[in-house]
Amino acid sequence: MNKNLSTILLGLLAYAVNLAAAERPNILVILCDDLGYADVGFNGAKDITTPHLDTLAKNGTIFTSAYVCHPFCGPSRMGFVSGRYPHNYGGQYNLPNGGKGMAQYNKEGIPVSETLISTVLQDAGYHTGLLGKWHMGLEPQFHPNARGFDDFYGFLGGGHMYFPEKYVPIYERQSKSGKGEINEYVVPLQRNGTEVKETEYLTDALSREASRFVTESAATKKPFFLYLAYNAPHTPLEAKAEDLAKFASIQDPKRRTYAAMVYAVDRGVGQIVKTLKSTGTLDNTLIVFFSDNGGQLGDGANNAPLKGGKGDCFEGGYRVPMFFHWPKVVPAGQKFEHPVSSLDFYPTFTQLAGASIPSGKQLDGKDIWADFLAQRSPHQGQMIYALRHRDGFNNVGARQDQWKLSLSGRNGQWALFDLNADIAEEHDVSGQHAQRVKDMVSKTEQWSRTCVEPKWFDSQQAAEKWKETGMPHYDETFRLK
Ligand code: CA
């Protein structure tokens, strides 16, 4: 080949590669823990103020029918990072608290056979970080650094105290119990496997670390994927005095503290946006904000107008506040009302990053990007499931277009709601739609047959009940009464 021509071709190739790299967005996922559907300004909160989140939501698109795949923490997070219903690999219970002496279950975690979205993006050249709550395994093979995250700052368990004065360093833990086992909520934070001495209120510490991560990422010249997993406003309800002072007019002390905790997240998001701007990365960053499940009723949260809360297969359990923000790409000032699932993020992020799905990887969601931009339903006619095991029975939710199939309580009956007319699931219309109910129950049953036995339980009692009551009881669950 002519030397000049090959130089030109190489130049063009380099240009194309650079162009592709330049177009790959940073992806910032901001996850709240147990945040209620109505507990942010952009979704109607009047007593909780979230100005920074509201600005992002207003300059982006708000999703009104965004679902996570489980109504509580661990399984919901596993679904997000693996792109699969955790029921398909035995992850439908929370991993137990590492300090409760359930060694056999604390050895478990999200199976290493599942390639996580973090690994996919890391392999595609992204700088990857997890800040905050993990809750997907304590053993070294499950550690975030072993699961596709270059950078980890946070805690491995399912929850945490907010004030560092309460954290108990390892030498004290060992002298107390002799084994180092203690409630994981007081285990100090760690950076990439090493315990550190944190001095700030937890939410502030995570926001600080997010700004640090964004700044460091800008220096690497790589696009970044940051999974910022705040544990707020999950219990314990603990807020800073200065944040509480802003909500003195709220009478209910739990709601007041909860509001202050959400406000602290918002303050932090404001700080992170500032860093994104100062590093010149905001314009090429997709920000996804959502909650891992519905708000915990009785602990300050509000899921109005949705029915139920955390733990339920009613809408309030797993339909969550969510927005996308990406200047000039994500439409501003819009609402997207078609149902989407947190299981869709895996394939969607993979496509946006120009990465590839590992061969043989099973996924339950789909790349929603084109449908999202076109304001079309990505799941027309498809089912989005929620299945929660209880002691001897199951709660079920299934969404198909505007329809919601629901089974609640012990000895419950299948009910059908038209969410377009009845978002609060108050008027059961199953009597008028017998064939639809039959079809939806049958589809949900077929899906349930792909679920496997739980690999762990959140408590000894749950494990015993599972055996004692002969779970999972799918025959009884899906028998039309
Ligand atoms: Ca949660």
Side-chain angles (χ1 to χ4, degrees):
M1 192 189 291
N2 175 309
K3 198 175 170 206
N4 283 345
L5 184 62
S6 65
T7 310
I8 291 168
L9 285 176
L10 277 175
L12 279 173
L13 184 66
Y15 174 75
V17 168
N18 281 338
L19 194 68
E23 285 168 350
R24 300 197 302 169
N26 304 303
I27 300 171
L28 167 57
V29 173
I30 305 175
L31 185 70
C32 275
D33 198 344
D34 294 7
L35 178 68
Y37 190 75
D39 290 332
V40 276
F42 69 81
N43 254 19
K46 295 279 181 276
D47 55 348
I48 302 180
T49 42
T50 52
H52 297 104
L53 289 169
D54 297 352
T55 301
L56 290 172
K58 196 170 134 241
N59 294 326
T61 297
I62 297 168
F63 290 74
T64 60
S65 296
Y67 292 89
V68 290
C69 67
H70 205 70
F72 55 76
C73 308
S76 170
R77 285 152 201 269
M78 291 188 184
F80 158 51
V81 296
S82 70
R84 292 181 76 191
Y85 286 105
H87 309 67
N88 289 138
Y89 48 78
Q92 55 270 62
Y93 278 83
N94 275 333
L95 286 159
N97 188 312
K100 294 277 172 69
M102 281 176 279
Q104 78 274 32
Y105 299 133
N106 290 136
K107 285 194 174 49
E108 299 289 350
I110 186 165
V112 291
S113 52
E114 294 297 322
T115 305
L116 308 187
I117 184 63
S118 39
T119 300
V120 169
L121 296 175
Q122 189 180 48
D123 287 350
Y126 273 63
H127 180 51
T128 57
L130 165 68
L131 305 173
K133 168 166 158 176
W134 178 236
H135 208 191
M136 298 193 238
L138 303 174
E139 292 285 303
Q141 70 272 29
F142 305 121
H143 191 278
N145 291 142
R147 304 305 297 272
F149 291 101
D150 298 318
D151 190 327
F152 169 56
Y153 186 86
F155 53 95
L156 298 176
H160 213 271
M161 296 286 193
Y162 290 82
F163 288 105
E165 304 84 85
K166 293 179 185 163
Y167 306 169
V168 183
I170 190 156
Y171 58 88
E172 280 183 38
R173 300 204 293 279
Q174 283 163 343
S175 64
K176 267 185 192 155
S177 69
K179 289 187 293 186
E181 268 189 8
I182 198 159
N183 187 325
E184 63 191 18
Y185 280 51
V186 298
V187 172
L189 305 189
Q190 61 160 275
R191 187 186 301 284
N192 301 322
T194 306
E195 274 191 25
V196 295
K197 187 166 168 49
E198 178 56 60
T199 55
E200 288 197 87
Y201 176 70
L202 183 47
T203 300
D204 292 348
L206 297 178
S207 303
R208 178 199 72 217
E209 292 294 322
S211 282
R212 186 223 8 114
F213 178 87
V214 167
T215 306
E216 286 177 8
S217 292
T220 67
K221 307 283 183 207
K222 287 178 169 185
F224 70 75
F225 168 58
L226 175 58
Y227 172 24
L228 171 57
Y230 285 113
N231 61 315
H234 192 289
T235 53
L237 295 176
E238 296 177 337
K240 289 169 90 172
E242 67 191 71
D243 292 333
L244 277 168
K246 296 212 180 311
F247 299 96
S249 63
I250 298 180
Q251 294 303 305
D252 173 10
K254 282 189 175 176
R255 178 72 176 170
R256 191 188 315 135
T257 309
Y258 177 97
M261 293 168 80
V262 175
Y263 182 76
V265 168
D266 188 79
R267 263 198 297 105
V269 169
Q271 189 186 320
I272 297 159
V273 169
K274 221 170 146 186
T275 309
L276 287 166
K277 281 182 182 160
S278 69
T279 52
T281 45
L282 182 69
D283 285 351
N284 197 31
T285 298
L286 166 66
I287 303 177
V288 175
F289 175 88
F290 71 113
S291 175
D292 71 335
N293 51 254
Q296 177 84 58
L297 299 176
D299 275 318
N302 178 10
N303 301 307
L306 309 181
K307 184 175 182 175
K310 177 179 182 179
D312 291 328
C313 291
F314 296 122
E315 297 287 286
Y318 68 110
R319 179 167 168 172
V320 295
M322 183 166 105
F323 68 74
F324 281 5
H325 177 278
W326 183 2
K328 301 194 185 91
V329 181
V330 163
Q334 299 259 321
K335 281 196 173 166
F336 190 82
E337 298 186 339
H338 302 292
V340 295
S341 162
S342 59
L343 301 176
D344 298 330
F345 291 141
Y346 193 119
T348 304
F349 292 174
T350 301
Q351 178 268 123
L352 290 173
S356 11
I357 309 271
S359 72
K361 176 78 179 92
Q362 292 189 39
L363 292 172
D364 289 326
K366 61 182 285 197
D367 171 12
I368 62 167
W369 199 252
D371 289 321
F372 161 60
L373 291 180
Q375 278 280 348
R376 276 191 309 254
S377 173
H379 295 290
Q380 190 69 41
Q382 294 168 351
M383 305 278 284
I384 294 176
Y385 303 111
L387 166 64
R388 182 185 177 182
H389 305 307
R390 301 272 187 176
D391 291 345
F393 63 101
N394 296 300
N395 285 167
V396 184
R399 170 115 189 222
Q400 184 185 41
D401 305 326
Q402 81 261 40
W403 303 102
K404 168 71 182 282
L405 178 76
S406 168
L407 181 70
S408 62
R410 198 184 286 274
N411 306 316
Q413 303 271 328
W414 287 102
L416 185 74
F417 303 98
D418 177 355
L419 295 177
N420 282 356
D422 178 24
I423 193 175
E425 300 172 274
E426 288 173 327
H427 309 289
D428 176 14
V429 294
S430 59
Q432 293 109 278
H433 298 272
Q435 189 56 44
R436 183 177 297 282
V437 171
K438 208 174 151 206
D439 288 348
M440 289 178 77
V441 169
S442 158
K443 284 195 170 104
T444 311
E445 175 170 18
Q446 281 170 38
W447 170 74
S448 79
R449 303 293 176 180
T450 68
C451 302
V452 300
E453 291 270 310
K455 281 186 86 171
W456 57 82
F457 294 89
D458 54 8
S459 67
Q460 209 54 56
Q461 194 201 8
E464 282 159 17
K465 283 278 178 193
W466 181 276
K467 261 199 197 139
E468 240 175 71
T469 59
M471 285 293 276
H473 281 307
Y474 290 140
D475 288 342
E476 293 89 328
T477 298
F478 294 101
R479 191 181 302 138
L480 280 166
K481 290 157 212 168

